[in-house]
Amino acid sequence: MEEEFEFYKVSQADLAKSEFYQELAQQWYSSNEGPMALLRLETSFQMKWILSEIRKYIGYHAEILDVGSGAGFFSNTAVEAGYEVTGLDISRTSLRVAELMDKSGRVKYVEGDAYRMPFPKESFDVVVALDLFEHVSDPEMIISEMSRVLRPGGLLFYRTINKTAASYIWINRVIRWLARNQGSAFFDYKLFRKPEEIEFWCEQCDLEMQRVRGMRPAFFQPGFWRLLRSREIHPDFRFVWSKRKIISYTGYAKKFREH
């Protein structure tokens, strides 16, 4: 018999009276300063392509798990597109902000560890892990766990940072400069992963790579020059897909058998 798990749910009363979470929500969802503003725009840029691939190969009624859901940038957008979404994160603070900003009230936010996810096997049609692998010490173990909860024929989407000189400069110069007084402990270059590593780990976990796309900022754009002048990420700051994966890359793999 499968073990049953309780979903983490924050009371709306607690959220409504908490100025702390309201301020964080405004900072993460509206502010033009700091790495969170950049992450918000990166997620927004990828959404159209990811959701179109889900519709094409899974359909409009997919059950999606967002691992490392953070403030809910992906989850809250995907649920508005009509999908059933569960967001998993180890940070209760991030979950409270994510739930506060879920206008639909339909995302199931769960407090839990990606290394041992509190779900029965083959629970989801799609698993998404955006900006997760560059923050963990053992991506292969997490990929194995993702494969466990993914149904055969399901898709695993991910985005992470390549281990190159260009990504080192972007993260350790530009992003840390953007962080100002917020601290610099966002990334560790030793944890960056090459595309070949991710593909190998996926294959070991019964996941067959389907497509990988490079992604980078559009350098010759007004938003980029505004960034250099003001340290602010304006809404017109753009990202572009690239054949080369010198900074970061987004891809997905298909589960072809029980894991």
Side-chain angles (χ1 to χ4, degrees), residues 80-178:
E80 290 179 2
Y83 293 101
E84 184 177 333
V85 184
T86 299
L88 177 78
D89 204 279
I90 201 169
S91 167
R92 178 167 293 191
T93 298
S94 296
L95 290 172
R96 289 191 174 186
V97 171
E99 190 163 26
L100 176 65
M101 299 305 291
D102 174 21
K103 297 177 182 178
S104 73
R106 299 199 316 271
V107 180
K108 300 173 182 176
Y109 281 110
V110 181
E111 183 179 2
D113 189 345
Y115 286 105
R116 187 179 180 276
M117 292 191 276
F119 309 110
K121 70 176 184 178
E122 299 179 6
S123 299
F124 300 95
D125 302 300
V126 176
V127 175
V128 176
L130 302 183
D131 304 286
L132 174 66
F133 296 149
E134 66 269 23
H135 296 292
V136 298
S137 59
D138 193 348
E140 183 178 11
M141 183 176 177
I142 292 178
I143 291 172
S144 177
E145 184 70 348
M146 290 173 176
S147 181
R148 180 186 68 80
V149 302
L150 191 62
R151 294 171 183 139
L155 301 177
L156 164 63
F157 288 85
Y158 65 92
R159 176 192 176 265
T160 192
I161 302 173
N162 202 350
K163 196 169 189 176
T164 64
S167 67
Y168 178 86
I169 293 171
W170 175 250
I171 296 299
N172 289 281
R173 295 293 182 266
V174 178
I175 301 301
R176 293 196 178 194
W177 172 71
L178 265 181

